[in-house]
Structure formats: C-alpha cells, structure tokens
Amino acid sequence: MTQTYRFPDGFLWGAATSAYQIEGSPLADGAGPSIWERFAHTPGMMVGGDTGDVACDHYRRYKDDVQLMKALGLQGYRFSIAWARVLPEGTGRVNQKGLDFYKRLVDELLEQGIAPNATLFHWDLPAALDDRGGWLNRDIAHWFAEYAEVMFKALDGRVQRWSTLNEPWVVTDGGYLHGALAPGHRSKYEAPIAAHNLMRASGAGIQAYRAHGKHEIGVVFNIEPKYPHSQSEQDLAATRRAHAYMNEQFADPALLGSYPPELKEIFGDAWPEFPADDFKLTQQKVDFVGINYYTRAVVKHDENQYPLKASPVRQPNKTYTETGWEVFEQGLTDTLTWFKDRYGDIPLYITENGSAFYDPPVAEAAVLDDPLRTNYLRKHLKAVHDAIQAGVDVRGYYAWSLMDNLEWSLGFSKRFGLYHVDFATQKRTPKATARFYTQVIESHGTALDD
Ligand code: BGC
C-alpha cells in the first residue's frame, strides 16, 4: 500500500511570528523600550544596521495580515506579546493602549476563525527590568508572574492556548554566554543563572495561570538533536554535553525537576548549587509543550570550544539553509520520539519549523517561486507524520514564519516567510510554499502523498 500522509482529525495547522520581529512602532502608544530596542540601536550589533523600528509594520497593518492568514487557510496563529507595551516599566503600571493592541488582534483573529496562541516572552525583555538585573535577578520570577496575570485576566476568555517562554536556550546562549543577542553579555558565570531564572519564571507564570486561567498553558523549547561525529569516547561524551546544554538544560527542570549532570562538567566552578526548593517552582504541570525544530548538529570533541569543548561538523553533500543549518528532517522525527521517551506522553505542538533561503528583495511575480523552502516544508511535515505514526501525540504545526521579518541580529538579511515582504514598500507576496501549505491544510496532509 502506498503511504498516505493524512493527519489526525483536529490536527491544527498554523503559522508563527514574534512581536519584535514583525510589529514595528516599538515605542508607540506609551510602550516602554525593550532590550532589543536598545540592542538594535547600538552600533555594530545588527547586520546592515537594521532595527525593529518598522519591521513588517504589523502594529498598524495587523488587520491586513490576518487576511493573509485567512487566505492561507490557517486554523491557528502563534504570536508573542511585547511585555513592555503592556507594562512599560516591566512591573506596576499597566499601559492600556498597549494591552488594547493585543485585544484588537485577538478579536480580529477570532472573527476570522483563527485560534490565537499567545507567547508571553519571546526575548524582548522590558529595558527597565534589565536595569534591575534582568534574568540574573531572582525577583524576575515574580515580575513575570505579575505580567502574565495581567495578560490572563485581559485575554484568557479569548486566548485558549498560552506559552510562557520561547526558546530559553537562545536567551541564555545568545544573550548571556556569547553575546550575539540582547542583552549582549558574555559570561559563563551568568548564563546558568539566567537559564535557571527563566525556568523559575516559567513555573511562576504557570502557577499564576492555574489561579486565573481556564484553558491551556505550556512552554516552548528549541530542540536540536545531537549525533556523534564518530563512535570515539571523546566524541560521544561531547555529543552528550551538547545535548544536555542545549536541550535538557531547560526541559529537565521544567518536566523532571532536576538538571542533567553534564552541566556541572561544562560550567565547572560557574555552575551554582541551586536551592532544592526552586525545582518545586520550575516543575509545574504543563498542558502541552511547544517544540521548535530547525536542524540537527553532528558533534565532535573540540578542546578550543568554550565552555562546551564540542563543536558541530559540517556534513558533505547536504543542503544547508541561508542560516547555515543542515536540512535534516529525520531529526524532527527523532526529536519527537526522544521527547516522548524522556518526558512521557505530553501533548506536543511544533510551534516553529521553517527555513531561510534566498529570495530577492522585490517580488516580481504574483507568486514567488521558492522550491528549496517548499521542499523543506514537505519533508518536515512528513517527518511529523512519521512521529505521529510512531505514537507521539503531536497536535499541531505552526510554520515559521507567516512572513519575512527581522531575523534578530541578522536583520532583514534572512527570509523565512510563507509571504515575501518587500521592506521598502511593505508589499506582501505569497511564495509558492504558501500555496503548497494551503493545499496541505485543505487536504489534511494528503497533498504530501507521493
Ligand atoms: C526563534 C525565531 C527565529 C527563528 C529562526 C527561533 O530561534 O524563535 O524568533 O526567527 O528561530 O532563527
């Protein structure tokens, strides 16, 4: 019998974005600055000197953008809330106009029959909180819960799926260990503390939800599976360290209430003894986990790589995306089955998956052909289907991203969108991948059949 890729009934098809990457107008209507506002305006931090000042101008064009979602046939839309729009100082005073923007967006989505999935923190920490130590200050767990509560009270009636954090690994690795992302610190002494406080904050947000919310809450991790370059003891140990550092460092405290032993090996004297009680906070019952998957890494031992002593090995004859990531769809199936084996049968969503390939700055056709991206989507959706067949409870898929946007410190140089954005005119043009995705949605996946 030929394979059919029909997905289970009720499987949710969506797309994702985040606030700083698309909204623009970051200081409008009384919003406070975020650490990304500061970082992007620091000379030398962003490719091309790009900033989120305008981005996709979604703050003003959100209604048109919801029409793009409708044209795609989306059933769900994952977006993030800019904390500093709602609480300009991070705590205390609520900025009603900031809150109103998200209310309008959610109303518009619901009117078009698209289920909102709101992420509370996708990296744009209020600058006022960074001034108080940001993720290094243990009080941030309470600050986050206060903000989360404001959002739950305002929107839980209409938003039925919430996530606390997006990709805490990127926040600590990019923001506190290597400095390529805001707030741009480089310290192995800070990174584990920031990571721990992120997971405490996520736990405190979930606790607040149990008191105020009635639907679903979870947390979103980027999982990048690690495969050994050789079977040598050194490469196997390096692979275990890389996996513990990137994947288990965050999922373990949230779902098992502990850290893997490799972290102490990696961080040495910089690895703190965390109070045992903290794990009561980090480990909360979640209704789902969101998994962002882009690529894998093949790992070898490398003395010079600080502090992991492990580095990735480029694979010959493989397709790499514009962000330098190998296209490796089997890694998504492996990730989903690994997650179930380690953490049990938790409902999972693919909350991000996508690829940057070159598209021209101006789209001249009515539909822009992007065969490499279409191929990536096709292969990864099949990989999700394989995991479902292997018994993993995957409930939905959000493509990254609805449209081309600000790829953080890489600026507008990398395009991940289903829709092309001409950043000079804000014109949106569907790519062939968007058309293909619509066929997949309409056919419940059978458009993937060979
Ligand atoms: C993030 C997105 C980002 C994407 C592509 C994820 O790390 O959540 O904000 O644009 O991957 O790099």
Side-chain angles (χ1 to χ4, degrees), residues 18-21 23 32-37 80-85 102 119-127 129 135 147 171 182 408:
S18 92
Y20 191 72
Q21 294 181 274
E23 286 177 355
S34 74
I35 57 172
W36 271 94
E37 161 75 14
S80 79
I81 294 157
W83 186 340
R85 281 199 198 282
Y102 296 105
T119 301
L120 290 165
F121 177 72
H122 197 130
W123 311 354
D124 46 357
L125 187 73
L129 296 183
W135 292 108
Y147 153 59
V171 177
W408 303 107

Side-chain angles (χ1 to χ4, degrees), residues 6 15-16 81 95 111 117 127 135 140 160 194 222 234 250 252 266 275-277 289 314 321 324 352 410 422 446:
R6 199 187 158 84
I81 294 157
N95 175 36
E111 231 163 82
N117 173 340
W135 292 108
I140 199 160
Q160 310 209 331
N222 55 309
Q234 277 203 321
F250 302 89
D252 276 18
I266 296 164
D277 267 2
V289 168
R314 199 176 162 94
T321 70
E352 285 180 30
L410 298 176
D422 178 336
T446 58

Side-chain angles (χ1 to χ4, degrees), residues 317-382:
N317 299 319
K318 291 295 180 121
T319 305
Y320 278 77
T321 70
E322 283 277 297
T323 43
W325 299 340
E326 183 193 345
V327 176
F328 189 71
E329 65 277 12
Q330 179 63 40
L332 178 49
T333 313
D334 292 352
T335 289
L336 291 166
T337 48
W338 165 75
F339 206 90
K340 178 179 170 175
D341 288 348
R342 185 169 179 84
Y343 301 110
D345 215 351
I346 304 170
L348 302 178
Y349 286 86
I350 307 302
T351 31
E352 285 180 30
N353 172 241
S355 55
F357 285 108
Y358 177 79
D359 301 308
V362 178
E364 282 168 18
V367 177
L368 192 142
D369 209 20
D370 61 338
L372 293 173
R373 191 176 291 99
T374 308
N375 200 32
Y376 181 101
L377 177 67
R378 178 195 301 276
K379 287 178 163 178
H380 286 78
L381 288 175
K382 288 183 174 182

